[in-house]
């Protein structure tokens, strides 16, 4: 993995109130205060961003959001913009998570607009891609990813992509306890890196971080991280508990 700095990110989904989130963040900060060689990010719900930021500022833990809307402001009831996220301390934003694609009509086109908006304001997009079980069974995995990556990054140029992070999350592995094997994940990560190379050149494909997500736990992280093209993890369920998430962050100790 060499020059790429690992990133372990926690997606808290629609769990925890502002107070509960701040408490978990406090427990996490205590446990990872000494971590210097891994980037750490947590993405609580929108309503907990401000309270969590107070707890994690000046710690190794950075703040992320779970979604954004692509306009900066306007008559868009219920939406939250990139500048608003930045103003409460976010450095990252998860974009195009499969749950948003599945339940909230997210498409490759809207993912693309959100990525552009994140980049304009200087947020690091964590761009999620991944195939469903049916697509994997019918051997469409690589073609689905090809389409998601191409459409998601449409219109973007190399100079805009230095903050981009890709998260490969096979939909069948999310919240199911079924992780892709290290080799299955590596195969897809290598493919995604080759797509980045084809479209944007080898400087970006060498430096871009590609995270794996889908039932990552303290006992499977070390194997995944030993793969050459896996640069970190996007963790759902196991990130909700500070003890298990900190074990994932400290995967090198376990290995
Ligand atoms: P999981 O979720 O770790 O609970 O499978 C991962 C994700 O949805 O990002």
């Amino acid at each position: 993995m060499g020059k790429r700095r690992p990133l372990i990110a926690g997606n808290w989904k629609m769990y925890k109130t502002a107070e509960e989130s701040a408490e978990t963040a406090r427990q996490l900060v205590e446990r990872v205060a000494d971590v210097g060689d891994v980037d750490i990010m947590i993405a609580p719900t929108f309503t907990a961003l401000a309270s969590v930021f107070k707890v994690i500022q000046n710690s190794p833990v950075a703040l992320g959001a779970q979604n954004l809307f692509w306009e900066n402001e306007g008559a868009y009831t219920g939406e939250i913009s990139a500048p608003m996220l930045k103003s409460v301390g976010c450095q990252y934003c998860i974009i195009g998570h499969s749950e948003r694609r599945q339940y909230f009509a997210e498409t490759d086109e809207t993912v693309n607009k959100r990525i552009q908006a994140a980049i304009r304001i200087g947020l690091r997009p964590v761009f999620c891609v991944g195939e469903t079980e049916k697509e994997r069974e019918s051997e469409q995995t690589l073609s689905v990813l090809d389409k998601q990556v191409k459409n998601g990054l449409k219109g973007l140029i190399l100079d805009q992509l230095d903050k981009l992070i890709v998260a490969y999350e096979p939909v069948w592995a999310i919240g199911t306890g079924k992780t892709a094997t290290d080799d299955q994940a590596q195969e897809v990560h290598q493919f995604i890196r080759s797509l980045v190379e084809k479209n944007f050149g080898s400087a970006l494909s060498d430096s871009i971080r590609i995270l794996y997500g889908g039932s990552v736990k303290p006992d499977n992280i070390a194997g995944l991280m030993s793969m050459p093209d896996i640069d970190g993890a996007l963790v759902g369920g196991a990130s909700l508990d500070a003890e298990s998430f900190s074990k994932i962050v400290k995967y090198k100790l376990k290995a």
Side-chain angles (χ1 to χ4, degrees):
M1 196 165 65
K3 41 207 175 325
R4 293 185 295 270
R5 197 176 150 85
L7 168 62
I8 304 291
N11 172 12
W12 288 1
K13 308 193 180 187
M14 200 178 74
Y15 291 101
K16 299 182 189 288
T17 63
E19 293 75 20
E20 290 161 354
S21 299
E23 179 52 31
T24 304
R26 224 182 320 274
Q27 294 170 6
L28 179 64
V29 165
E30 262 173 39
R31 288 169 168 78
V32 300
D34 55 338
V35 173
D37 52 356
V38 174
D39 287 343
I40 308 164
M41 180 271 265
I42 49 177
T45 60
F46 289 130
T47 51
L49 289 171
S51 64
V52 168
F53 184 62
K54 276 198 202 127
V55 174
I56 65 178
Q57 63 187 137
N58 309 317
S59 86
V61 184
L63 190 65
Q66 298 175 17
N67 186 27
L68 56 72
F69 186 58
W70 52 83
E71 295 293 343
N72 284 350
E73 60 177 17
Y76 302 104
T77 302
E79 293 299 315
I80 291 174
S81 72
M84 291 169 185
L85 296 176
K86 195 127 194 248
S87 79
V88 290
C90 287
Q91 293 180 42
Y92 295 81
C93 186
I94 298 169
I95 293 177
H97 189 279
S98 69
E99 286 151 16
R100 298 219 57 87
R101 295 178 189 257
Q102 188 179 350
Y103 304 123
F104 302 99
E106 189 82 79
T107 64
D108 289 346
E109 289 66 38
T110 57
V111 166
N112 178 257
K113 288 183 178 184
R114 291 181 217 277
I115 292 176
Q116 303 224 20
I119 288 172
R120 273 199 305 276
I121 203 77
L123 286 171
R124 300 176 183 278
V126 179
F127 166 33
C128 301
V129 294
E131 81 288 359
T132 62
E133 187 151 42
K134 220 161 115 197
E135 288 162 345
R136 176 163 283 265
E137 278 167 1
S138 56
E139 292 178 8
Q140 290 176 292
T141 299
L142 302 187
S143 65
V144 165
L145 287 160
D146 183 59
K147 184 172 145 292
Q148 288 177 344
V149 170
K150 219 179 271 162
N151 293 340
L153 300 181
K154 201 178 245 169
L156 287 156
I157 58 167
L158 178 63
D159 288 356
Q160 298 174 295
L161 296 179
D162 58 317
K163 289 195 159 62
L164 181 74
I165 294 149
V166 177
Y168 167 56
E169 300 204 304
V171 178
W172 49 270
I174 295 178
T176 58
K178 281 196 231 172
T179 332
T181 64
D182 300 344
D183 290 331
Q184 274 174 331
Q186 165 58 23
E187 184 197 1
V188 176
H189 280 234
Q190 190 176 32
F191 176 71
I192 293 171
R193 203 176 295 288
S194 76
L195 287 177
V196 173
E197 182 177 10
K198 200 167 74 190
N199 290 290
F200 301 102
S202 62
L204 185 67
S205 70
D206 284 348
S207 63
I208 194 166
R209 291 184 290 186
I210 306 177
L211 315 182
Y212 170 79
S215 300
V216 174
K217 305 281 180 252
D219 62 1
N220 60 25
I221 181 70
L224 289 160
M225 291 305 287
S226 71
M227 295 287 123
D229 288 297
I230 299 182
D231 307 314
L234 181 55
V235 186
S239 73
L240 292 167
D241 174 68
E243 180 62 22
S244 73
F245 189 57
S246 64
K247 281 188 185 150
I248 296 174
V249 168
K250 297 182 177 184
Y251 65 93
K252 285 180 193 157
L253 300 180
K254 269 212 83 201

